[in-house]
Every structure is written in C-alpha cells, then in structure tokens.
Amino acid sequence: MSARLTHDGFRRLLEQVREAGYALVGPTISDGAIVYGPIAGADDLPIGWTDEQAPGRYRLRERGDRAHFGYVLGPQGPRRQLTPPVETLVRIRLGPRREQGPRTPEGVEAADEDGEPLALIGLRACELAAMAVQDAVWTGGPFVDPRYARRRERALIIAVDCLEPGELCFCVSTNTGPGVEAGASFDLRLTELGEEFLVEVGSERGQALIDGLGELAEPSTAQLFAARTQGVLAAAMELHGRERQLDLDGLPELLFANLDHPRWDELAARCLSCGSCTLVCPTCFCHRVEERAPLDAPTSERVRHWDSCFTDEHSRIHGAQFRPQIRERYRQWMTHKLGAWVSQFGTSGCVGCGRCIAWCPVGIDITEEVAAIRAAPVAPDDAEPVALPPATTVPALAGDPMHPQLARVVSVREELREVVTLAVEPVGVFSHAPGQFNMLGLPDVGEVPISISGQAGGELLHTIRAVGAASRALVALEAGDRLTLRGPFGSAWPLAELRGHNVVVIAGGLGLAPLRGALREMVAHPERYPSVRLLYGARSPEELLFADEILSWDRSIRFAPTTAPAVLESGHVKVHVTVDGAAPGWTGHVGVVTKLMRRKPLSAHARYLVCGPEIMIRFVLRELETIGVAQDQVWLSMERNMKCAVGMCGRCQYGPHFICKDGPVFRWDAIAGLLGREGF
Amino acid sequence: MAARPRLGVFKLASCDGCQLTLLDLEDELLAIAAAVDIVHFPEASSDMDPHGRFDLTLVEGSVSTPAQLDELRAIRAQSRTLVAIGACATAGGVQALRNFADHREYVRAVYATPAYIETLAQVTPIAAHVRVDFELRGCPIDKGQLLELISATLVGRRPDIADESVCMACKRAGQVCVTVAHGQPCLGPVTHAGCGALCPRFSRGCFGCYGPRERANTEALADHMQAEGVSAASLVRRFRLFTGWSEAFRAESERHDD
Ligand SMILES: Cc1cc2nc3c(=O)[nH]c(=O)nc-3n(C[C@H](O)[C@H](O)[C@H](O)COP(=O)(O)OP(=O)(O)OC[C@H]3O[C@@H](n4cnc5c(N)ncnc54)[C@H](O)[C@@H]3O)c2cc1C
Ligand code: SF4
Ligand code: SF4
Ligand code: SF4
Ligand code: FES
C-alpha cells in the first residue's frame, strides 16, 4: 500500500495521529540544534533548515526551500523517549523509623505510568536499526523490561528515507541505511521528494491513518517510486565513495586481539572521558539504579539513570576499580560497541549515525580510531575468542525482573565478626541451583548481589559481610524483618557435569559461601561424587567460615577452635584448611591456599571449582596450569559491579560476557583470555 | 527513644552562601528539624552549643588563619561524619586565589593596620588538614544535593551524588552542547556534576564551580580550546576561578601562566 501526500496532506496526517491519542515526538529547532522531542504538529518541524556536521561541530543552516526533513540527525534520538534518562522503577512503602538499623519495606508497587502512546516521527533508517538493537537489549530475553516493551509496542513509527546523508554518516558501512527497507519496523515510511511525500504503509495502523486522510491521500505514481529508488541509490553511492567508512569485517576479533595497541594510549591523551559519546549513541544502554527516599517520605523509589562506561562508578566495586584509566574506558566503549556487542546481541552496536563524532567535545572520530588500529595491528594473527557460550543457561523469570518481592528474615546467624547468615523466606515457590545469587535490598539503602549460600527447607541462606552501606544495612537486620529480594540470577556450579569425577573445591575467605550449596550436595551424595576435596584458606583462624560444618564433613582434620561436630561417616570428603597468619593454639596449615595446593598433590584429571578474591583465583589457576589441568575442567565465580542482574545495566560486562547472566560461574576457558587483564 | 542524631554546621573562611542553602530548603527544613537536632548553626540562631558530639557535621569555608585551623581540628574531633560543603571547603574557594600571588602584599594594600591580620601562608581546603568523609561540591552547593546528602547520611545510605562530568547531567537533561553547537568553551567535561548543567541550560559554557571530577583530563581540554582559538591568558582565567586551587585546575592554569 502506498500513497502520495502534499504538505497539506502531511499536516493533516499529523493532526490525525494526535487526534488518535498519540503524543507527537519529532524534530524541532531548539537551542540552535534540531532536537528530537515533543511537537504539536507539522509547524514545529524544522521546515527549510538543515544541519552541518563535522567532528565536534554542529551548525544549523537555512536551506532556502520548504523541506520538512531536510536535516540529518539531532543530538539524541528516540532512545530518550523509549528509555528515559531518569526513570522510577518501583516504589517501596517504608516501615516506621527504628532506633537502630534501616527502615524495612512494607509493600512494593510498580511505578510505570502508562502515558499517551508515542508517535515517533521522522525516524531514519539508522534509528530504526538502533531501535532493533535496543529491542534486543531490553526485550530479547531471557528477561524483558516491561517499561520499554510497553512503550515500544504502543509507539507509532513514521520513518523517513535519507536522500541527503550528512557529512558524518556512514550507514552504508554498517548496512543500516540510507533508505528505510520495506521490512523494517515502521507504520508509515515517508520519502520526501520536492514538495511531495511518497508514503509506504507498513502496518494496519498505518493503513488506517492513510485511509482516514480520504482525498488528501492521493494515489502514488510510478514516477515517485522511481524517484525514490534513484534518490536512495544516489545517496548510497555517495556514502560509498566517502573516506569515512567503518569496516566491520572481523572487527571483534581485531579489537580483542589489539587490547594493548598503542593507539589506546594516544586516545587517552585526547579523550576527556566525559561520556557524551555514550549518551548520544542510540544503542548504548548502560544505567545505574539508585534509591531515592527523602527524609519524611512514606515511600522510597528505585530510580534508573543513564550511565556510561566513562564514569568511575561503572566499574567500581568495594575495594576495587577495574577501569581507572581513560584508555581502559575508551577501550571498553569501543570493544563493546564494535566487538563484544556482536556476541551479546548478534549485531554490531554501531549503526553508522555519526552522533558520537559530532557531539564529542573534542571531535574524536570512532571510524578513524578503528582505521588506525586496522592499519597497524599489533597482534594480527592472535585473535582471542570472543563469542563463547555461557557456562550454564538459566531459565528466565516471568514478569518485571526489576520488581522485587518482599521476603522475611527468619533467623540471623552470626558467623564471624561483621559476617552473618540471613535465613530468608521468600514468597511462593523458589527454586535455585547452587552458585546462583539474589539481589537483596532495603528501601532507603539499595540493592546488592549476594550469593545463595545454601537452603534449609523453604529458607534461603545468604552469608553477608558488612563492607559498605548496603551490606552493612543487611547485616543489621533482625529475625522478622523484611527485605526486598529479586532472583535467582546467574549461572550455577555444574553439579551434573561433575558426577562421577573427583572434585577439588578451592575457596578463599568468604568465597566459601557461594560454594557451600554445591559442597553440601556433594557431601550428601557419595554415590555421585566419589571423591571431594576442599582446600580452604582464610586470613586467620577467626576468619574461618562455617568452621563447624566443615569439620563435620571430614573427621580426620583438626584445627582450633573445635566444637564437637556431627560426623559424616562416608569418608569421601577430605578437607584441608590453611590460614595466612598463625595464631596461638592453631595446629593446622599456615600460608596462602596456593601453598596448600603444592603440599597436597592434586590430580590433573580432577574437576575444580574455585571461588574467592580475584587475585587468589588467578594464583590458583596458575598453579592448576602447572600441574596440567585443562581449562575445561575448571569453573570459577566472578564479581563485578551489578545493578540489574539481568543484562540490562551494562555494568557487569566482562569482555563479551555479562557476569550477571552468563556468569557468575564460568568455565575457565570462557574467560581465560581476559582474566588478569587490566581494564576488564 | 534513642537520642536523635545531632547535626552541626560550622563555618571557616567563607561567605555563608552554602549555609544559606540549608535555610533555603524551606519546605524540607521541617522534616530535617524533625529528624535531627540542629546543634550549631551560626547562620540561623545565636543559641549555639559548639560542644559535644555531632553525628553529622557540615563545614563551610576554607582554612585561612591559624585560629581556623585549630577550630577545624576541634570540630573533627567531635564529629562522626564530617562533610566539607562548597567550593571553599573542598577546593579553597576564591580566596585561595591569593595563593597564586604574594598575599602579604594584598594584606598591606587592603587593611589599614596589616599587623592585626594574622593569616596562614596559603588558603587551603579542609581535606588538607583533617579527614573528610564526603565533599559536597559547588559554589554555592545545590540544595537538592544537600538534602540528598543529609537524608542519605542519616539512614546510612551512600548519597546519590556521582563523581561524573557535567556532560553526563547535560545530556540527561537533553541540553544541546554549547561547545559543539555554538563553539563556546565549556569546562563541563572536566567538572564534577551537581548543578544540573545550569550554565549550559542558559547557553553558557560551564565555569567549573563544582571543581574537577575524577580523571579530569584538563590538558586535553585546554589543548583543544587553544586549537579553537582560546588564548593562554583566557585559559588561566578559566581554570582559576572558584575551584582554581584544586589540584587539577591549579596544574592546568599554571601550565598556561608564564
Ligand atoms: C555475583 C555476586 C555474588 C556476591 N555474593 C556475595 C555474598 O555471598 N556475600 C557477600 O558478603 N558479598 C557478596 N558479593 C559482594 C557484595 O555484592 C558487595 O559486598 C556489595 O555489593 C557491597 O555493597 P555495599 O553497598 O555494602 O558497599 P559499597 O562499597 O558502599 O558499594 C557501593 C555500590 O557498589 C556496588 N558494589 C560494591 N561492591 C560490589 C561487589 N563486590 N559486587 C557487585 N557490586 C558491588 C554496589 O552497587 C553497591 O551498591 C557478591 C557480589 C557478586 C557480584
Ligand atoms: S557508535 Fe557513534 S556512529 Fe555508531 S551508532 Fe553510536 S553514536 Fe552512531
Ligand atoms: S559499556 Fe557499552 S553500552 Fe555501556 S556505555 Fe559503554 S559502550 Fe555503551
Ligand atoms: S570520545 Fe569524546 S565524547 Fe566520548 S568520552 Fe571521550 S571526549 Fe567524551
Ligand atoms: S548487566 Fe546489569 S548487572 Fe549485569
């Protein structure tokens, strides 16, 4: 179906869209730029104006005609409307103030307000491509963000072909333009040809609008079609002949093989780490989640803000900052956008719009940077594997993954100084596998990832060390209190795969907690796990976690302080414990866990599970390498900053992986190329 | 009922503007007053009790005299959480500009009896002398951020005040970049956010009131500005404003000052 519209017909079309109850969003002139935002009708369009763009430079210019869409792209696209820069996720009703400890939650309400559906007017081919990328992020599964999904599903899309591409466009390289393809996701597609529009219908909604125009929608003509084809072709040819191209061929491999290229240092000398490129890019999606609770407010809000891999907090966890340097941040942006994206979402993250080039305050040009690395790669034949399957795939959660349930603390057990185990009773059936984690939180304070350290009947155990604001508040909870819980998330220890094998578990410090569920399973089933050895290291005897339980697994070990343990007779479990620093009365091993590994001959054929501080994991792996253990026999658990736990906030990225959903448990070979590398 | 948390407010060398922000919180002040005992607040009342312990102490102003240094140490000793508020307390403020010159000459020029004026050789931010738990930036501070700081500290939450560039706030606000669209020099990329990109919202480049952000690449920005025609003298003036004595801005202005 198609039609031909004059300017009057087009004006009426927009009126009709508004009458149908849509909020019009389109290009309009504001602050010396053509910005994408609310408009009242056709008069608000930048009629007769165009933009001139260069790296770090954007200017408006009058065209001398009445073109409605005679410009290219403004600073931000519809990402702003579909994932607002600041958005409330849920509202949590707060309990009364207490003498000690934080306020606890009393109820959770969804915060999504269904406003008018959006009519997104004037979207270019690259913007439709970007929207498809955003669809994959927010709705591509296994988790779906209902806020995005709803806005996107209701939105009416009026797309426009590009016949006059801008100076910075390179959509031909990325195969995302300049013409809007017939199969793309639009309701109507416009081609502006002189004083007329050729309209192609893409949906029933679109057809109804055209039908509603009556006589104003004239039949399209063969000439108009020919003019469109010619125009799009000419634009494509022009783009093709330009110097600015982005060669996507083998780009992920090229970038990941050149993580130490000198170009990153050169870039760091120019890049301000301001984050502008990420916030104008139509495909970036990183965000943070913060708690907002004014002093006397009865509710606390969990709010999502646009964030960027150029900020400090993005890659910070308690006690570590993984990307302190600008070179590492720029490298994250580029290796994600043009590399890791492909394995995460099956497509490049760049749609060739040129926004990051125009709106970089110092005019850094991503295509130039790629070309420089391509021209002189430092490690051309040594590409590291980028696309690898996650350790274990997990079933999706139904419903809003950001909407927590209110769980009840049944008991609190003090394990060590500043470490407690909360036994938490979730609402409804809750099934998890050892190694997975939950997001535990309190209104007023926030949410943090905590591994499930075991299950006792219907109660989930979480062993938590108080290190900062959120963990301290969780540790301060008392039996009967409620908290917010989302989960379970992430991959699990490969218990099924371990059956019949000799298993060695190596844990450091609190790293024993995520392993306890798996250990309990193996201890209880000698017929499945013929030999299980635990090598456990802690800083001092007072820092030994679950000491009584460990003793109960292996009667032969002795270390102080001992209590009389319940003894398991099977004898298939051996436990070795070491402490970094000796103390009076300590009769066990002294030294780090790798030293213990050398003392206790380990088999090259066993299966290994490793969890603890990252530095310890790396030393353990080095040790395993020397005894000839293959990478596909080892699993380990990783930690990074996490805000969503469902692959949407972007914070936990580790090269091609999201640690929250592809991990936290990885088989060693999946991440071997990145482990220990600065900046990841 | 446990004792309510005690909030102390103190000032050193400053203009009182930041303390006034607290009074400016009109609507919210009642809630704050209901949640805490405001113990020492020279700007609001003459009935003060500078002795005893404070759960949260806000200190405005920089250290300019030996007496202020003593006072600051005493305040620190009495405070559980000490927050430096404003450009003076966090970076020295405008008065720190005297550090770039010979301050004795200023004293002679300004005061009739210079012998009475006892000053330290340099005006310094609070963190140069005592441990500071949090720095709330700005000249003056932003009232929304102040409220968040107080609310968060009282419940033990980390305040939602990110150390990020003004560009981040500017882009979230949907503001058109003044550098890119109007060719205006702007310190936003190297400046700590907090003002909500106030100047860009009025089509002006950022003046850097909130001081440098982490990883402020002032050198790259200054080089770019210079290539766009900004003179060395103008660069010195730009980096030498309210937060000119902060390390990053000071080093940058000195690079262009000969
Ligand atoms: C998969 C996974 C499982 C974990 N399991 C446990 C566990 O069983 N027991 C336990 O005590 N701790 C566990 N942690 C670490 C725990 O999440 C952090 O100690 C906690 O987030 C610190 O938050 P905070 O507010 O107390 O500290 P702050 O230092 O004030 O943290 C500020 C913010 O930084 C982020 N952050 C800080 N540290 C981490 C971190 N290590 N991981 C992710 N985000 C972080 C959070 O967003 C937090 O809100 C786990 C982390 C991950 C990623
Ligand atoms: S990386 Fe740059 S050119 Fe590519 S889609 Fe993002 S903003 Fe556009
Ligand atoms: S990590 Fe990726 S999605 Fe997130 S801001 Fe950086 S480039 Fe964009
Ligand atoms: S590339 Fe440009 S826009 Fe992106 S962070 Fe660096 S200076 Fe800012
Ligand atoms: S993407 Fe948000 S925590 Fe992994």
Side-chain angles (χ1 to χ4, degrees):
Chain A
M1 267 355 88
S2 60
R4 172 178 161 223
L5 292 185
T6 60
H7 285 170
D8 283 344
F10 175 70
R11 165 186 307 274
R12 180 66 203 130
L13 173 70
L14 292 197
E15 282 169 12
Q16 247 188 198
V17 172
R18 217 185 44 221
E19 287 158 14
Y22 288 93
L24 300 185
V25 184
T28 190
I29 292 182
S30 165
D31 291 330
I34 293 168
V35 302
Y36 200 68
I39 56 169
D43 286 342
D44 286 346
L45 296 177
I47 298 172
W49 287 88
T50 191
D51 45 17
E52 288 173 349
Q53 305 192 20
R57 190 187 153 88
Y58 175 103
R59 293 290 184 279
L60 288 182
R61 177 174 61 78
E62 269 188 285
R63 295 171 54 97
D65 63 12
R66 299 211 301 143
H68 286 43
F69 297 96
Y71 69 100
V72 185
L73 286 170
Q76 291 176 343
R79 169 183 166 193
R80 192 174 184 81
Q81 281 72 35
L82 294 173
T83 62
V86 180
E87 175 172 28
T88 302
L89 300 172
V90 289
R91 296 204 169 80
I92 304 172
R93 243 174 312 116
L94 287 161
R97 243 175 227 300
R98 314 191 302 175
E99 248 182 57
Q100 256 174 1
R103 286 186 281 181
T104 54
E106 301 213 314
V108 187
E109 289 145 33
D112 34 351
E113 292 123 24
D114 249 5
E116 291 174 315
L118 303 169
L120 303 174
I121 294 151
L123 296 191
R124 308 288 180 179
C126 62
E127 295 184 294
L128 294 187
M131 210 143 66
V133 172
Q134 294 276 1
D135 288 352
V137 173
W138 301 97
T139 65
F143 303 98
V144 172
D145 183 69
R147 303 159 197 83
Y148 177 90
R150 182 108 180 98
R151 282 186 207 114
R152 176 73 174 82
E153 180 185 284
R154 296 168 82 212
L156 179 90
I157 292 166
I158 302 186
V160 180
D161 282 319
C162 277
L163 304 188
E164 299 173 23
E167 296 85 348
L168 300 180
C169 298
F170 53 97
C171 55
V172 162
S173 317
T174 51
N175 199 19
T176 50
V180 175
E181 307 242 339
S185 158
F186 58 80
D187 294 285
L188 293 174
R189 177 189 69 195
L190 308 177
T191 315
E192 186 166 28
L193 296 159
E195 297 266 307
E196 297 178 314
F197 291 101
L198 170 64
V199 188
E200 183 72 28
V201 172
S203 72
E204 280 175 27
R205 269 195 298 196
Q207 185 61 50
L209 285 167
I210 294 302
D211 292 346
L213 286 176
E215 308 231 305
L216 281 173
E218 299 165 39
S220 52
T221 63
Q223 286 96 312
L224 279 179
F225 274 110
R228 172 183 188 269
T229 309
Q230 247 173 34
V232 170
L233 200 68
M237 296 290 286
E238 199 214 314
L239 285 163
H240 214 75
R242 288 197 185 162
E243 201 182 315
R244 177 173 289 103
Q245 304 288 346
L246 182 64
D247 181 359
L248 295 181
D249 187 37
L251 197 46
E253 293 75 11
L254 178 81
L255 293 176
F256 278 95
N258 282 279
L259 297 177
D260 296 320
H261 200 283
R263 189 73 182 187
W264 305 117
D265 292 315
E266 276 173 57
L267 257 164
R270 283 177 282 138
C271 172
L272 310 174
S273 191
C274 69
S276 296
C277 48
T278 55
L279 297 198
V280 298
C281 179
T283 64
C284 273
F285 53 84
C286 282
H287 62 265
R288 59 193 165 96
V289 179
E290 302 289 348
E291 212 73 15
R292 265 199 202 157
L295 272 180
D296 55 344
T299 59
S300 162
E301 294 187 349
R302 238 162 236 176
V303 183
R304 175 148 92 186
H305 305 241
W306 283 0
D307 193 19
S308 160
C309 50
F310 284 98
T311 67
D312 169 74
E313 212 198 272
H314 191 274
S315 53
R316 183 182 282 287
I317 67 170
H318 179 78
Q321 156 60 279
F322 297 103
R323 281 187 283 280
Q325 306 297 336
I326 294 181
R327 84 188 277 276
E328 295 159 348
R329 297 186 194 172
Y330 190 95
R331 193 181 66 184
Q332 166 63 26
W333 139 258
M334 202 205 276
T335 55
H336 182 218
K337 185 107 313 195
L338 306 176
W341 217 289
V342 177
S343 47
Q344 290 171 352
F345 302 108
T347 164
S348 165
C350 178
V351 297
C353 70
R355 282 190 174 101
C356 57
I357 309 173
W359 298 96
C360 170
V362 291
I364 291 174
D365 181 339
I366 191 170
T367 64
E368 246 175 48
E369 303 309 327
V370 170
I373 292 173
R374 211 182 256 290
V378 289
D381 304 321
D382 188 26
E384 274 157 25
V386 175
L388 281 159
T392 321
T393 36
V394 285
L397 285 181
D400 178 3
M402 297 306 290
H403 192 109
Q405 58 152 292
L406 292 191
R408 197 172 59 90
V409 177
V410 181
S411 65
V412 182
R413 181 190 149 103
E414 217 169 306
E415 305 280 4
L416 310 172
R417 207 170 58 85
E418 311 229 287
V419 178
V420 305
T421 295
L422 298 182
V424 164
E425 183 183 55
V427 180
V429 187
F430 190 101
S431 80
H432 84 281
Q436 289 194 292
F437 66 97
N438 282 327
M439 293 297 284
L440 299 186
L442 287 163
D444 243 11
V445 182
E447 252 187 338
V448 288
I450 300 291
S451 299
I452 302 170
S453 64
Q455 187 161 11
E459 294 163 17
L460 299 170
L461 307 181
H462 301 87
T463 304
I464 310 171
R465 184 188 296 274
V467 296
S471 53
R472 210 175 295 129
L474 290 168
V475 165
L477 288 174
E478 290 167 9
D481 286 345
R482 294 208 281 180
L483 75 168
T484 67
L485 182 152
R486 297 191 289 125
F489 297 118
S491 58
W493 300 109
L495 282 169
E497 250 176 276
L498 298 178
R499 283 193 189 186
H501 292 285
N502 294 346
V503 181
V504 182
V505 177
I506 305 174
L510 215 62
L512 187 58
L515 282 163
R516 185 169 66 168
L519 276 164
R520 283 181 171 180
E521 175 74 15
M522 293 189 285
V523 168
H525 293 284
E527 74 288 1
R528 294 181 198 154
Y529 308 98
S531 155
V532 180
R533 289 171 79 187
L534 168 64
L535 275 65
Y536 177 43
R539 237 174 301 160
S540 65
E542 297 76 52
E543 286 285 306
L544 285 172
L545 193 62
F546 310 140
D548 294 354
E549 190 169 353
I550 293 175
L551 284 171
S552 75
W553 295 337
D554 177 358
R555 251 202 327 173
S556 64
I557 61 159
R558 288 280 171 274
F559 56 73
T562 31
T563 47
V567 175
L568 223 116
E569 293 296 347
S570 73
H572 73 298
V573 184
K574 272 254 158 287
V575 176
H576 312 285
V577 175
T578 182
V579 295
D580 294 356
W586 175 254
T587 55
H589 297 286
V590 176
V592 291
V593 85
T594 39
K595 195 167 152 200
L596 187 59
M597 288 171 75
R598 267 172 255 144
R599 277 204 212 148
K600 304 283 157 192
L602 297 171
S603 156
H605 307 291
R607 300 293 179 269
Y608 288 83
L609 308 182
V610 189
C611 187
E614 197 165 317
I615 181 80
M616 168 230 145
I617 294 182
R618 282 177 9 222
F619 278 112
V620 167
L621 294 179
R622 204 182 290 170
E623 206 61 37
L624 292 178
E625 202 159 28
T626 51
I627 51 175
V629 178
Q631 293 189 347
D632 61 3
Q633 290 166 231
V634 182
W635 287 263
L636 46 105
S637 186
M638 296 288 294
E639 249 182 79
R640 284 294 178 275
N641 189 309
M642 290 188 180
K643 284 295 178 192
C644 71
V646 292
M648 293 174 186
C649 76
R651 294 216 166 193
C652 70
Q653 286 182 73
Y654 193 59
H657 306 287
F658 289 105
I659 288 183
C660 64
K661 61 175 193 179
D662 305 328
V665 177
F666 290 98
R667 207 169 71 182
W668 182 8
D669 51 356
I671 55 172
L674 291 173
L675 264 171
R677 213 179 244 288
E678 273 176 20
F680 283 93
Chain B
M1 171 99 194
R4 295 192 314 162
R6 288 157 58 92
L7 171 73
V9 186
F10 292 88
K11 87 171 233 111
L12 305 173
S14 60
C15 72
D16 295 2
C18 290
Q19 293 188 46
L20 284 173
T21 306
L22 189 55
L23 289 181
D24 211 27
L25 283 170
E26 293 155 10
D27 300 342
E28 298 86 0
L29 205 53
L30 279 179
I32 296 175
V36 299
D37 284 330
I38 301 180
V39 185
H40 184 191
F41 190 7
E43 195 60 42
S45 110
S46 49
D47 169 28
M48 36 183 173
D49 165 21
H51 310 291
R53 292 195 61 81
F54 303 100
D55 295 284
L56 171 60
T57 305
L58 308 177
V59 184
E60 171 196 286
S62 51
V63 180
S64 183
T65 68
Q68 284 167 340
L69 185 54
D70 293 341
E71 189 186 354
L72 176 63
R73 291 196 174 123
I75 296 169
R76 175 69 262 187
Q78 294 175 44
S79 306
R80 204 148 63 106
T81 303
L82 185 143
V83 178
I85 61 168
C88 301
T90 59
V94 261
Q95 58 274 29
L97 295 184
R98 79 159 156 86
N99 299 351
F100 289 104
D102 176 4
H103 81 281
R104 307 229 166 260
E105 245 163 62
Y106 277 151
V107 172
R108 246 172 275 131
V110 175
Y111 297 98
T113 328
Y116 292 146
I117 308 298
E118 196 183 353
T119 56
L120 293 169
Q122 289 194 325
V123 177
T124 40
I126 292 174
H129 308 284
V130 298
R131 183 171 57 81
V132 169
D133 297 297
F134 194 83
E135 291 195 336
L136 187 63
R137 311 286 199 89
C139 186
I141 52 172
D142 173 77
K143 70 178 194 175
Q145 286 204 336
L146 177 62
L147 189 63
E148 169 60 13
L149 173 86
I150 296 173
S151 316
T153 310
L154 291 181
V155 297
R157 164 176 89 234
R158 271 169 10 112
D160 177 12
I161 297 173
D163 187 353
E164 60 183 19
S165 68
V166 171
C167 297
M168 293 291 293
C170 194
K171 290 280 180 289
R172 277 190 211 107
Q175 196 48 51
V176 173
C177 175
V178 298
T179 296
V180 172
H182 306 294
Q184 283 211 30
C186 175
L187 291 190
V190 296
T191 301
H192 191 295
C195 60
L198 190 62
C199 291
R201 285 199 340 246
F202 289 93
S203 301
R204 303 289 302 268
C206 166
F207 290 100
C209 309
Y210 279 60
R213 51 171 288 217
E214 57 84 46
R215 292 287 149 202
N217 193 350
T218 53
E219 198 168 330
L221 181 63
D223 287 350
H224 184 77
M225 285 180 173
Q226 216 155 18
E228 298 280 303
V230 176
S231 69
S234 164
L235 282 174
V236 173
R237 279 197 305 277
R238 280 170 202 280
F239 282 101
R240 216 170 264 179
L241 222 52
F242 315 102
T243 51
W245 195 246
S246 64
E247 207 169 307
F249 287 3
R250 182 180 56 195
E252 196 53 43
S253 74
E254 280 168 355
R255 214 160 65 85
H256 304 276
D257 191 10
D258 38 37

